[in-house]
Amino acid sequence: MAAGQYDENLARRAANYAPLTPLSFIARAAYTWPARTAVVHGTRRYSWRETYERARRLASALAHRGIGVGDTVAVMLANTPEMIEAHFGVPMTGGVLNTLNTRLDADAIAFMLQHGEAKVLITDTEFAPTIAAALAKVDGKPLVIDVVDALGPGGDLLGESDYETFIAHGDTDFAWQPPQDEWDAIALNYTSGTTGNPKGVVYHHRGAYLNALSNIVDWSMPRHATYLWTLPMFHCNGWCFPWTMAANAGTNVCLRKVEAKAVLDAIRTEKVTHYCGAPIVHAMLINAPDAWKQGIDHAVHCLVAAAAPPAAVIEGMERMGFDITHVYGLTETYGPAAVCAKHEEWASLDIAARTERNGRQGVRYTVQEGMTVMDPATMLPVPADGETMGEIMFRGNITMKGYLKNPQATDDAFAGGWFHSGDLAVMQPDGYVKIRDRSKDIIISGGENISSLEVEDVLYRHPAILGAAVVAKPDPRWGETPCAFIELKPGASLQPEEVVEHCRQHLARFKVPKSVVFGELPRTSTGKIQKFVLRERAGSAQAIE
């Protein structure tokens, strides 16, 4: 086909085209608001000019050690200024940032370092025991740089240099270049698979740029927000918020450890306006002593993300006066790729109805091109009847490049032209998506499908219950029956029979748990309940007659 009139002599040029990269955000923030506070960590405070200079010094020092396009730099860091700097300094070299989950064991870390071919490892001394054990298992050890944080617990030095000494040799005017292609990799994140080795999810500059901006748009963040790092930055690159906060020219308030009093103190002292977290983080604040909440009289906005946050969490945050927004996504979608976009008329509903509306996974993020619910066998959309279940599918610019060195898994994930999430959901009549369960979490009892999330939602409404998870228990008659694992609030007491009676008031009898187990729930480092652990325990759970 001949070129049309709009293509003739209208080529891409340096003047009218540039690859999208979130690195441009920090350059603009430092240029426009150089003196504005960018990072707070205890007594350490850096302006945007200083943060940009430190990131460039890191990039320069890495470049002097041979790091360039496509090279992996791994970091094992808490939520500290060094982690924020790495999100800019590493890709300024053309390198790829691999943020490691600080809760993983040495075997998992060793696999990631080997599989990702990390050439440099920047690690906080707190994690020295795990890192030392991991490095002993790795062939071709990376260059190790130690971060010594005065607010951390300390630990052994494993590297050839500490971080401050390392970047002191870098150039604050390091002349970094944007990527040649916005499709170039910017980050590598490993999924926390429950079986086999984790998969390496690859992000590109374009997706990171777009999702960073969509966080602002879809959360209606005002300029110069103050953001508290309750979400681990190793998790999906902190949902792209290190880049978001540079675009926002706001303030990052760092937090090494998420504890209710520390969070509430930071919100009060630093006048935090925004934070993110899993339901467990919000539940922790809801159940904190009222005395810890005194003095917080400004507006606080929070994002909650999970397959389906308990209604009790959404309702509890609203009663505290915190404005909560539900988002949904996966590691493969740069973190949040859907939002329960609110409607003004919802404000006139009672709190139960508002909670139901706000507990849905909602609609696609502004920069995500497609989100729907399909039958994975036919790849046809399910009817928008709120009843027919299918699988949530995504496609667009904030979907991963693919899985590193795993073409089969990549092809399977993108089968039919959509990314398959593995989450089962319904499409409601208004076009909003509502998750019913993970495909592996549906309980099939006597031929009937039981949503574990529906049962959990009822359990969370009991005033004595802090956490709940429901899994399938093998049953010789029914095939499977629901087994409830329950974590009680401090000082609370409850009997299995009371749990069953509570559920019978709200659920069909076949959905009521036949077994109830009390105890602390196993969780991942990001607060997700590890149901695979509970499935192993369910077999020995005592049934209630």
Side-chain angles (χ1 to χ4, degrees):
M1 182 181 297
Q5 63 177 337
Y6 294 107
D7 292 321
E8 292 177 1
N9 302 313
L10 300 177
R12 293 183 184 180
R13 309 165 189 261
N16 65 12
Y17 173 81
L20 301 181
T21 173
L23 300 180
S24 66
F25 299 148
I26 192 170
R28 182 175 185 272
Y31 181 89
T32 311
W33 293 281
R36 192 167 191 91
T37 301
V39 181
V40 174
H41 185 50
T43 59
R44 298 166 64 189
R45 290 177 181 261
Y46 299 118
S47 67
W48 277 110
R49 178 196 291 116
E50 291 168 326
T51 300
Y52 186 37
E53 288 175 348
R54 286 174 62 83
R56 292 170 85 178
R57 284 163 58 190
L58 171 60
S60 175
L62 290 170
H64 282 309
R65 299 306 294 265
I67 298 301
V69 176
D71 290 330
T72 304
V73 176
V75 297
M76 183 83 158
L77 299 173
N79 284 351
T80 61
E82 294 81 8
M83 183 64 127
I84 295 170
E85 292 156 15
H87 275 80
F88 297 94
V90 172
M92 282 177 183
T93 68
V96 179
L97 178 65
N98 174 207
T99 55
L100 300 170
N101 185 329
T102 60
R103 302 290 179 81
L104 294 179
D105 60 26
D107 286 340
I109 296 297
F111 170 81
M112 294 172 186
L113 293 174
Q114 194 83 58
H115 186 261
E117 301 180 27
K119 292 190 174 181
V120 176
L121 170 62
I122 303 173
T123 178
D124 192 295
T125 55
E126 177 181 355
F127 313 118
T130 301
I131 291 298
L135 290 173
K137 303 172 184 288
V138 173
D139 297 326
K141 293 178 178 56
L143 167 67
V144 178
I145 305 298
D146 293 301
V147 169
V148 182
D149 180 14
L151 297 184
D156 294 336
L157 297 173
L158 304 177
E160 72 165 42
S161 172
D162 68 86
Y163 183 86
E164 293 300 327
T165 301
F166 182 70
I167 70 170
H169 297 293
D171 183 359
T172 57
D173 294 322
F174 177 70
W176 62 272
Q177 297 294 322
Q180 289 290 314
D181 188 338
E182 59 191 20
W183 181 252
D184 287 353
I186 189 173
L188 170 65
N189 289 282
Y190 282 92
T191 60
S192 54
T194 58
T195 58
N197 289 322
K199 297 190 288 289
V201 177
V202 181
Y203 294 173
H204 47 68
H205 282 253
R206 178 181 178 85
Y209 177 100
L210 291 170
N211 211 32
L213 293 180
S214 209
N215 283 333
I216 295 173
V217 172
D218 289 303
W219 204 6
S220 301
M221 290 182 78
R223 175 74 72 188
H224 307 314
T226 300
Y227 181 85
L228 179 63
W229 276 106
T230 46
L231 176 75
M233 273 184 256
F234 65 68
H235 182 49
C236 308
N237 295 104
W239 299 353
C240 295
F241 272 92
W243 300 310
T244 291
M245 293 311 296
N248 181 264
T251 300
N252 296 274
V253 179
C254 295
L255 191 66
R256 283 191 70 97
K257 190 174 182 180
V258 178
E259 296 173 328
K261 190 172 189 305
V263 170
L264 293 167
D265 285 348
I267 291 174
R268 182 188 309 103
T269 302
E270 301 295 339
K271 298 299 181 184
V272 167
T273 60
H274 294 73
Y275 74 91
C276 302
I280 184 62
V281 174
H282 305 289
M284 177 180 64
L285 300 184
I286 292 169
N287 292 291
D290 288 339
W292 294 359
K293 304 173 188 177
Q294 298 304 309
I296 300 175
D297 53 10
H298 63 281
V300 180
H301 305 270
C302 37
L303 289 187
V304 61
V313 168
I314 296 175
E315 185 172 325
M317 294 304 291
E318 182 170 331
R319 292 191 188 281
M320 275 179 62
F322 285 25
D323 178 66
I324 192 165
T325 299
H326 176 44
V327 292
Y328 161 73
L330 305 94
T331 303
E332 290 88 343
T333 60
Y334 295 71
V339 60
C340 187
K342 299 176 182 179
H343 291 242
E344 291 179 359
E345 55 268 29
W346 294 357
S348 63
L349 301 174
D350 62 45
I351 192 167
R354 287 200 306 276
T355 296
E356 185 278 327
R357 296 289 195 283
N358 289 321
R360 301 181 294 175
Q361 283 56 53
V363 295
R364 65 182 175 88
Y365 244 30
T366 299
V367 300
Q368 185 69 301
E369 293 305 308
M371 174 191 182
T372 191
V373 180
M374 291 187 179
D375 180 328
T378 64
M379 292 301 291
L380 295 175
V382 301
D385 58 8
E387 296 292 336
T388 307
M389 281 202 295
E391 184 177 1
I392 297 179
M393 309 271 186
F394 287 104
R395 67 179 175 194
N397 293 302
I398 54 170
T399 304
M400 65 172 179
K401 290 185 71 167
Y403 297 116
L404 182 67
K405 303 176 187 175
N406 199 335
Q408 185 59 58
T410 301
D411 289 345
D412 291 345
F414 291 146
W418 290 79
F419 169 69
H420 296 238
S421 72
D423 284 324
L424 299 181
V426 297
M427 181 68 77
Q428 296 186 316
D430 63 357
Y432 276 49
V433 170
K434 174 65 176 178
I435 284 182
R436 289 294 186 228
D437 226 327
R438 291 288 293 175
S439 57
K440 61 188 177 185
D441 292 338
I442 284 289
I443 301 165
I444 304 175
S445 185
E448 297 282 355
N449 286 352
I450 301 172
S451 164
S452 65
L453 298 182
E454 180 184 6
V455 183
E456 289 163 8
D457 204 46
V458 169
L459 290 170
Y460 270 106
R461 288 189 170 275
H462 194 288
I465 293 176
L466 176 64
V470 175
V471 299
K473 179 184 185 312
D475 185 271
R477 180 181 181 186
W478 302 107
E480 295 176 338
T481 57
C483 178
F485 289 84
I486 291 172
E487 186 174 335
L488 296 176
K489 294 179 181 179
S493 63
L494 203 58
Q495 296 300 314
E497 293 76 14
E498 294 175 281
V499 174
V500 169
E501 182 56 35
H502 170 73
C503 290
R504 283 176 176 166
Q505 295 176 20
H506 303 280
L507 294 168
R509 292 188 71 87
F510 75 91
K511 297 181 181 180
V512 173
K514 303 298 187 289
S515 308
V516 178
V517 180
F518 294 104
E520 185 176 355
L521 298 174
R523 290 186 171 87
T524 69
S525 57
T526 56
K528 296 179 182 177
I529 296 170
Q530 296 176 307
K531 285 195 171 182
F532 73 97
V533 174
L534 299 179
R535 289 189 195 96
E536 295 173 357
R537 299 177 185 173
S540 59
Q542 187 69 37
I544 300 172
E545 300 300 332

